[in-house]
């Protein structure tokens, strides 16, 4: 049985209720988390405020950095333990779960080093004045985290907030709490004062909502679906609480006829297969110049047919989806595709030994998906890639921009001038030229435009979002 983690202590929810934890690889219940309520959130927010006033504000930036570095090293030591927890809780194949734990350590390493490099400015002004700016923490930051990359998103969001001097209340997704509860214990072991990192588990519409509405929360970092993002904004707007929104995507991979296909093919495949397609920045739309449409689809179709899906511990190309309802959601999209007569170019296979109760979905490549079809517009959040040809550069840009989202884009071409034109004209938070994702890039600011959200996490840029700027003007004559 898992408990909440408030002020460095494991504590049960006052609700007396729990939520079952299911292993996506076999559908079996293996643990329980607390189904917390608004009173638990209140206790966590109080603990975070007490920590801010009693200890955390008194840490120098360098001391904060040293402590965060100790946590990074501890996570590094415990990589395999965290990997095993995540593998079971989220159904992540071994390599993916390990990569997430290593990324978490890297986020804390990066933000540890950033603590004492964040500073304000001096501004030339009228004679007799000196003007300076201070970057101050918001205070207590709330972090609402989705289930697809709990450790990575905790790392970038909480890591940035702590580096900027905030204390944190974290609400993980109900399907993915276990690794973060363990990380909070590790933080205590390395010396984090009580109340700096607090974790409260439960349902979004209960504790997530209570967190978003709590008057003691000074900033909200929300990563999740656009629909819930709207609810968070509405709740925050009532008390003018600043929000960072990291929402969904329907990101294009744009492939021109002059592209290096040997480099592009594995990257296109990985961008939709990684984490079974449950990635906000998944490359879910494949836009291909007409001249190479057929040969590229033939090649990718053959690659899709080789993909294997199975239990996380088998460490195949894909693990299961997170839960039954997600599996049903993806199946619903595919039923629509069949009803519309969309053609499958290639399909992977769920291995025969995969347990009956697991939430498996074979990866699929679909062709000629009309731009207005929901498969070309909505986030499937599963391993489904939709292909469409384009005639020229102008059409490529128009198609790349033809969704409500704008998170990430990939462009494959050897033409240098075209690389820049596409990078400028595609509306998204990140554009990758002749690569996709740049290996994760803890250092690289990340976030969206349009329905993919606003504000940036990752990199040094995130620290601006986790601080507020104060201008101090001194008239000294
Ligand atoms: P979700 O929006 O259902 O849930 C996200 C979090 O919000 C969970 O912790 C959930 O419990 C909580 N929540 C749900 N309802 C709430 C409410 N009414 N009030 C407050 N909190 C509430 O999303 P999900 O299904 O967990 O994750 C998948 C989504 O997250 C996808 O849309 C994906 O693209 C997005 N995502 C975005 C990024 C990014 O950086 N842009 C990264 C990862 C995931």
């Amino acid at each position: 049985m898992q408990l909440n983690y408030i002020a460095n202590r494991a504590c049960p929810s006052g609700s007396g209720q729990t939520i079952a934890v299911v292993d996506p690889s076999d559908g079996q219940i293996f643990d329980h988390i607390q189904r917390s309520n608004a009173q638990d959130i209140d206790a966590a927010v109080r603990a975070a405020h007490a920590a801010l006033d009693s200890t955390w504000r008194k840490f120098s930036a360098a001391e904060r950095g040293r402590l965060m570095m100790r946590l990074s090293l501890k996570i590094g030591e415990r990589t395999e333990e965290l990997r095993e927890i995540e593998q079971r809780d989220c159904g992540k194949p071994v390599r993916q779960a390990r990569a997430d734990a290593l990324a978490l350590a890297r986020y804390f390493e990066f933000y540890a080093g950033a603590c004492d490099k964040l500073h304000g400015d001096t501004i030339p002004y009228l004679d007799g004045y000196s003007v300076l700016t201070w970057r101050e923490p918001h205070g207590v930051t709330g972090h609402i985290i989705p289930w697809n990359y709990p450790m990575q998103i905790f790392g970038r969001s909480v890591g940035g907030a702590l580096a900027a001097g905030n204390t944190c209340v974290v609400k993980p997704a109900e399907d993915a709490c276990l690794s973060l509860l363990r990380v909070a214990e590790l933080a205590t072991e390395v010396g984090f004062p009580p109340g700096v990192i607090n974790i409260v588990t439960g349902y979004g519409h209960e504790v997530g909502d209570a967190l978003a509405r709590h008057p003691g929360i000074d900033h909200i970092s929300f990563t999740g679906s656009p629909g819930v993002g709207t609810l968070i904004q509405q709740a925050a707007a009532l008390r003018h609480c600043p929000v960072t929104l990291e929402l969904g995507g329907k990101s294009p991979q744009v492939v021109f006829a002059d592209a290096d296909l040997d480099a592009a093919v594995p990257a296109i495949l990985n961008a939709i297969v990684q984490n079974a397609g449950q990635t906000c920045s998944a490359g879910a739309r494949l836009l291909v110049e007409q001249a190479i449409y057929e040969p590229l689809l033939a090649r990718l179709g053959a690659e899709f047919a080789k993909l294997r899906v199975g239990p996380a511990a088998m460490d195949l190309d894909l693990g299961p989806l997170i839960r039954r309802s997600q599996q049903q959601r993806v199946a619903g999209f595919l039923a629509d595709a069949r009803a519309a007569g969309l053609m499958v170019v290639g399909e992977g296979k769920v291995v025969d030994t995969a347990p009956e109760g697991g939430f498996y979905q074979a990866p699929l490549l679909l062709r000629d998906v009309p731009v207005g079809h929901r498969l070309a517009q909505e986030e499937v959040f599963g391993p489904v890639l939709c292909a469409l040809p384009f005639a020229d550069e102008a059409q490529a840009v128009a198609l790349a921009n033809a969704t409500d989202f704008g998170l990430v884009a990939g462009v494959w071409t050897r033409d240098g001038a075209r690389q820049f034109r596409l990078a400028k004209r595609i509306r998204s938070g990140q554009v990758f030229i002749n690569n996709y994702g740049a290996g994760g890039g803890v250092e690289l600011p990340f976030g969206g435009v349009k329905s993919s959200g606003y504000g940036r996490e990752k990199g040094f840029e995130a620290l601006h979002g986790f601080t507020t700027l104060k201008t101090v003007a001194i008239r000294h004559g």
Side-chain angles (χ1 to χ4, degrees):
M1 163 86 75
Q2 303 289 326
L3 302 178
N4 287 330
Y5 204 77
I6 299 174
N8 286 4
R9 286 192 11 250
C11 40
S13 164
S15 76
Q17 295 182 41
T18 59
I19 301 171
V21 179
V22 173
D23 180 344
S25 291
D26 60 16
Q28 299 297 312
I29 294 172
F30 69 95
D31 206 342
H32 288 81
I33 55 167
Q34 299 299 301
R35 179 178 174 177
S36 309
N37 57 23
Q39 286 71 43
D40 300 314
I41 286 289
D42 192 52
V45 174
R46 283 173 195 278
H49 271 289
L52 194 65
D53 297 335
S54 64
T55 54
W56 200 233
R57 273 195 212 285
K58 294 176 187 154
F59 273 59
S60 71
E63 283 167 338
R64 274 202 314 273
R66 274 184 222 117
L67 191 52
M68 290 183 67
M69 191 61 202
R70 283 210 290 277
L71 181 54
S72 169
L73 293 171
K74 177 65 88 176
I75 292 164
E77 281 166 23
R78 300 300 174 92
T79 299
E80 286 309 298
E81 181 193 348
L82 291 168
R83 189 266 303 157
E84 216 171 312
I85 293 172
E86 202 73 325
Q87 197 179 306
R88 189 155 192 213
D89 195 17
C90 301
K92 285 178 186 259
V94 177
R95 279 165 297 169
Q96 182 64 54
R98 183 178 294 130
D100 286 7
L102 291 171
L104 171 61
R106 172 71 189 121
Y107 275 113
F108 270 84
E109 179 186 51
F110 178 85
Y111 283 118
C115 288
D116 57 1
K117 286 139 198 103
L118 178 68
H119 54 74
D121 243 328
T122 56
I123 300 173
Y125 195 52
L126 303 175
D127 183 39
Y129 280 81
S130 286
V131 181
L132 55 146
T133 59
W134 291 334
R135 288 220 158 263
E136 297 185 331
H138 290 291
V140 175
T141 50
H143 303 260
I144 302 179
I145 295 186
W147 46 261
N148 60 342
Y149 289 93
M151 284 195 277
Q152 295 212 32
I153 293 168
F154 178 93
R156 76 187 195 198
S157 174
V158 173
L162 292 174
N166 301 282
T167 56
C168 303
V169 178
V170 181
K171 207 302 272 177
E174 46 274 36
D175 292 303
C177 295
L178 307 192
S179 57
L180 302 190
L181 289 167
R182 182 68 187 121
V183 170
E185 288 173 353
L186 296 180
T188 302
E189 278 179 34
V190 301
F192 269 80
V196 174
I197 301 175
N198 306 279
I199 309 225
V200 182
T201 65
Y203 290 120
H205 63 280
E206 295 177 351
V207 269
D209 184 64
L211 178 62
R213 290 179 192 284
H214 199 291
I217 292 288
D218 301 307
H219 176 278
I220 300 169
S221 163
F222 172 76
T223 308
S225 58
V228 176
T230 302
L231 298 177
I232 301 290
Q233 285 183 93
Q234 287 169 339
L238 293 173
R239 53 194 182 80
H240 309 289
C241 177
V243 177
T244 299
L245 290 180
E246 297 278 7
L247 308 178
K250 189 76 184 177
S251 299
Q253 294 259 33
V254 186
V255 189
F256 286 89
D258 68 344
D260 174 357
L261 295 186
D262 290 341
V265 164
I268 291 167
L269 211 60
N270 183 58
I272 191 65
V273 162
Q274 183 182 322
N275 211 37
Q278 304 168 117
T279 303
C280 55
S281 54
R285 292 186 298 140
L286 179 65
L287 308 175
V288 186
E289 193 166 7
Q290 189 74 61
I292 58 161
Y293 188 59
E294 296 302 338
L296 180 57
L297 287 200
R299 193 166 162 181
L300 277 168
E303 294 296 330
F304 265 75
K306 287 185 216 159
L307 294 170
R308 291 294 169 266
V309 189
M314 284 182 77
D315 201 20
L316 301 174
D317 302 303
L318 295 86
L321 301 180
I322 188 77
R323 57 174 179 246
R324 175 79 60 212
S325 64
Q326 186 66 15
Q327 190 190 28
Q328 288 163 345
R329 184 181 136 80
V330 176
F333 274 99
L334 295 176
D336 283 357
R338 273 193 299 279
L342 298 181
M343 274 173 59
V344 175
V345 183
E347 183 167 359
K349 193 176 175 319
V350 179
V351 294
D352 295 337
T353 50
E356 278 281 302
F359 311 138
Y360 299 101
Q361 171 63 55
L364 283 164
L365 171 60
L366 298 170
R367 62 174 292 162
D368 309 336
V369 180
V371 65
H373 193 280
R374 68 185 285 246
L375 264 152
Q377 289 293 325
E378 296 175 28
E379 195 176 32
V380 176
F381 232 51
V384 182
L385 179 60
C386 301
L388 194 65
F390 63 82
D392 55 22
E393 192 177 306
Q395 196 188 12
V397 171
L399 288 173
N401 288 334
T403 73
D404 289 340
F405 294 108
L407 192 57
V408 167
V411 177
W412 299 87
T413 175
R414 288 186 164 98
D415 180 333
R418 185 156 60 196
Q419 293 170 0
F420 274 92
R421 285 195 299 273
L422 269 282
K424 276 195 180 292
R425 289 174 192 159
I426 291 178
R427 289 197 65 204
S428 68
Q430 290 189 324
V431 179
F432 297 105
I433 308 288
N434 293 332
N435 76 95
Y436 196 81
V442 164
E443 305 85 341
L444 312 182
F446 181 79
V449 297
K450 304 195 284 183
S451 290
S452 292
Y454 55 76
R456 294 293 176 262
E457 289 191 344
K458 302 175 69 167
F460 204 82
E461 181 66 26
L463 299 179
H464 296 153
F466 285 120
T467 50
T468 177
L469 193 77
K470 183 181 279 173
T471 305
V472 181
I474 304 154
R475 187 169 65 84
H476 41 64

